Amino acid sequence: MDHVLDLDEVAALLAQRADAWTSAGLEVGLLTWRDGAAPWPQPHHTDRERVHDPDSLGIVVTGPADTVLSIVLFRGGWADVDFIADLDDSGRLPAAGITSTSDVETRLDHWVARVFGAGDGAS
């Protein structure tokens, strides 16, 4: 798999955003890491030190009324982004062709605004 994203840089961005999200009333879960060199099935770890060759990084953000945003970013330049905004509004958001940490930042703004609204820590 190509290494398009530096997941440690992305983790720093997510940690920075987590403070703003928490201040906006959202709950931010622990970062989860997957080691690309681990044998299948590859376990997920919350301790970065246990992962030698990170190939994915995940986070779950929850908000009022059971809103949920689940993001798993892959070093190859894509993400799995699933959400529940309400009972009639859930699914997967587009997340292919991610080119850099700044691209992740821009997309995070969009994803958070889409699920929690622009006034809930979207920037």
Side-chain angles (χ1 to χ4, degrees):
M1 174 187 318
D2 289 336
H3 292 185
V4 175
L5 296 175
D6 180 330
L7 294 179
D8 288 307
E9 282 183 11
V10 174
L13 170 65
L14 291 171
Q16 186 179 52
R17 289 300 175 95
D19 291 337
W21 295 336
T22 300
S23 294
L26 303 175
E27 292 184 33
V28 181
L30 297 174
L31 294 177
T32 57
W33 298 86
R34 187 177 77 175
D35 193 329
W40 185 260
Q42 297 157 314
H44 293 91
H45 301 283
T46 56
D47 181 359
R48 170 63 177 92
E49 296 299 317
R50 296 187 63 189
V51 177
H52 303 289
D53 183 27
D55 77 338
S56 74
L57 172 64
I59 193 166
V60 175
V61 182
T62 57
D66 298 324
T67 52
V68 178
L69 176 63
S70 171
I71 303 167
V72 180
L73 293 142
F74 295 88
R75 69 181 174 201
W78 72 90
D80 292 338
V81 182
D82 299 301
F83 75 98
I84 302 171
D86 64 42
L87 291 176
D88 298 319
D89 186 13
S90 63
R92 179 164 281 188
L93 298 174
I98 300 171
T99 59
S100 65
T101 301
S102 63
D103 188 11
V104 171
E105 184 172 26
T106 300
R107 291 172 188 241
L108 278 174
D109 290 344
H110 171 74
W111 298 331
V112 170
R114 168 66 178 85
V115 175
F116 304 109
D120 292 331
S123 56

